[in-house]
């Protein structure tokens, strides 16, 4: 499972509580309101971070919209199967999609997509973002990013890093780091982030880029050493850990993020109305607390800002993928 889907599933108990809360709210509203339900579709399996975010967001939106907000999971091919379906739907706001960073990574990875990522979707709101952390096994000699880069330059090809698999966000964080630092590291893909993290903890691999929720307990226990976070600002969960940007690679950013989209050509007033209600929901104390506990930050961009951000991310990750010569048929 790739990082944006697996990262910090926020705990089985939290997931169950949020899913039950959203389901109960939807059922009650469905009984009390004759208004047609709004669907938020998650193009990944149940239980992952995107799914949990969607259910909590739906729970917060229902009283604001006065109608049931239902969450459906339609998984397949890194989110591309339902993305194709959404691209063909009417832009009436009745069906929305909450997806992850995969949405802007897929155009660079796949030779042929059955939709145009730039034209066939309406970016509405960024729901949350979570940084990765550059973590090393305690036996690794570098204690800072500058020391890491110097060591890698002095030992070309001798530093390896693990990931959840080729094309995942933690893999591409490593590729971006390699490119900007001018170093060569050997990528070791695993079938999921959990086995990669296990090998990192065991010392079989020395380096990994992984999400804050996944490695936080291991950093605090001393089983892993955090060198830097990949976000533009320090993580509230790791306030003493610097960013990569402030550690010698200005403008470095590789956060995992989750965004709400509608079909293409959605009318601006409808888009803006939905976005305003989503941003208001993200300010709810319960949702903010759950996000902050896991090192995540709620979104705050306007629809125009989010669309600009999506466009920038498309260009950035396509360039990283091209330089790394990554393609999926």
């Amino acid at each position: 499972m790739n990082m944006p889907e697996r990262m910090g599933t926020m705990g089985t108990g939290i997931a169950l509580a949020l899913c039950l809360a959203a389901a109960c709210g939807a059922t009650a509203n469905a009984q009390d309101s004759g208004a047609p339900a709004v669907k938020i579709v998650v193009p990944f399996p149940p239980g992952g971070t995107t799914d949990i975010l969607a259910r909590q967001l739906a729970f917060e939106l229902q009283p604001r919209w006065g109608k049931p907000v239902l969450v459906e999971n339609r998984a397949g091919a890194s989110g591309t199967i339902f993305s194709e379906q959404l691209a063909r739907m009417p832009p009436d706001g009745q069906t929305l999609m909450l997806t992850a960073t995969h949405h802007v990574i897929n155009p660079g990875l796949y030779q042929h997509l059955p939709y145009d990522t730039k034209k066939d979707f309406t970016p509405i709101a960024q729901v949350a973002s979570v940084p990765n952390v550059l973590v090393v096994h305690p036996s690794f000699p570098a204690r800072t990013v500058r020391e890491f880069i110097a060591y890698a330059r002095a030992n070309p090809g001798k530093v390896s890093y693990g990931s959840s698999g080729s094309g995942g966000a933690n893999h591409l964080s490593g590729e971006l780091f390699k490119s900007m630092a001018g170093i060569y590291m050997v990528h070791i893909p695993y079938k999921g982030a959990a086995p990669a993290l296990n090998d990192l903890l065991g010392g079989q691999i020395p380096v990994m880029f992984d999400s804050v929720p996944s490695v936080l307990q291991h950093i605090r226990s001393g089983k892993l050493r955090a060198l830097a976070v990949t976000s533009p600002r320090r993580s509230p969960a790791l306030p003493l850990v610097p960013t990569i940007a402030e550690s010698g690679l200005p403008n470095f950013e590789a956060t995992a993020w989750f965004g709400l989209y509608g079909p293409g050509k959605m009318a601006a007033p409808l888009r803006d109305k939905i976005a305003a209600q989503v941003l208001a929901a993200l300010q709810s104390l319960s949702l903010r607390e759950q996000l902050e506990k896991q090192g995540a930050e709620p979104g705050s961009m306007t629809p125009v800002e989010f669309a600009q951000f999506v466009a920038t991310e498309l260009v950035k990750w396509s360039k990283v993928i091209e330089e790394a010569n990554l393609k999926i048929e």
Side-chain angles (χ1 to χ4, degrees):
M1 186 181 293
N2 282 337
M3 187 274 291
E5 255 321 279
R6 177 208 46 80
M7 66 179 189
T9 51
M10 299 186 183
T12 304
I14 293 174
L16 180 59
L18 298 187
C19 292
L20 288 174
C24 292
T27 301
N29 279 349
Q31 293 173 345
D32 298 339
S33 172
V38 174
K39 292 182 181 179
I40 298 178
V41 177
V42 175
F44 304 113
T49 304
T50 316
D51 178 61
I52 294 168
L53 285 172
R55 294 181 187 280
Q56 179 67 356
L57 181 62
F59 181 71
E60 298 290 344
L61 286 173
Q62 286 176 151
R64 289 175 169 83
W65 286 350
K67 62 176 72 175
V69 183
L70 309 178
V71 176
E72 293 186 5
N73 300 88
R74 301 188 194 175
S78 294
T80 61
I81 291 179
F82 179 73
S83 294
E84 178 184 6
Q85 296 173 19
L86 183 72
R88 304 175 188 277
M89 291 182 177
D92 57 9
Q94 290 300 117
T95 302
L96 306 171
M97 176 175 70
L98 182 60
T99 189
T101 321
H102 288 74
H103 192 65
V104 295
I105 291 175
N106 288 336
L109 277 181
Y110 289 89
Q111 295 282 359
H112 304 288
L113 285 176
Y115 53 81
D116 187 324
T117 305
K118 296 179 181 178
K119 298 179 180 179
D120 291 341
F121 306 94
T122 299
I124 298 174
Q126 186 190 68
V127 175
S129 62
V130 180
N132 280 337
V133 191
L134 171 55
V135 286
V136 299
H137 189 268
S139 63
F140 193 76
R143 304 190 71 87
T144 67
V145 169
R146 286 185 173 87
E147 290 179 2
F148 183 102
I149 294 173
Y151 181 85
R153 286 176 178 168
N155 298 273
K158 294 184 180 180
V159 178
S160 59
Y161 75 102
S163 81
S164 60
S166 296
N170 49 6
H171 170 209
L172 295 184
S173 293
E175 293 296 328
L176 180 63
F177 183 80
K178 286 167 55 178
S179 175
M180 293 184 67
I183 61 175
Y184 175 67
M185 297 189 295
V186 178
H187 173 229
I188 301 178
Y190 287 77
K191 293 181 179 179
L197 180 57
N198 286 338
D199 272 8
L200 177 65
L201 290 167
Q204 283 77 32
I205 55 173
V207 180
M208 188 174 177
F209 288 81
D210 207 353
S211 68
V212 169
S214 297
V215 297
L216 187 58
Q217 62 175 326
H218 303 303
I219 293 170
R220 289 174 174 170
S221 69
K223 294 180 180 179
L224 294 177
R225 181 188 306 141
L227 300 189
V229 294
T230 63
S231 51
R233 297 179 301 277
R234 294 193 181 195
S235 169
L238 294 168
L240 299 181
V241 178
T243 68
I244 290 178
E246 69 181 284
S247 302
L249 292 181
N251 301 317
F252 184 97
E253 180 182 357
T255 54
W257 51 270
F258 307 86
L260 188 70
Y261 297 81
K265 299 182 180 179
M266 179 179 285
L270 176 60
R271 175 203 66 187
D272 294 348
K273 180 180 179 181
I274 295 173
Q277 292 165 334
V278 168
L279 293 177
L282 291 174
Q283 295 304 311
S284 69
L285 182 60
S286 60
L287 184 49
R288 291 184 68 88
E289 285 180 346
Q290 293 298 343
L291 291 173
E292 291 171 1
K293 284 178 183 177
Q294 302 300 322
E297 295 185 19
S300 60
M301 298 179 190
T302 67
V304 172
E305 291 170 339
F306 182 46
Q308 293 171 341
F309 174 76
V310 169
T312 300
E313 289 280 281
L314 277 165
V315 173
K316 177 174 76 177
W317 293 121
S318 292
K319 181 180 179 182
V320 170
I321 291 165
E322 182 178 1
E323 289 180 352
N325 196 30
L326 299 173
K327 286 293 178 182
I328 297 175
E329 294 296 337

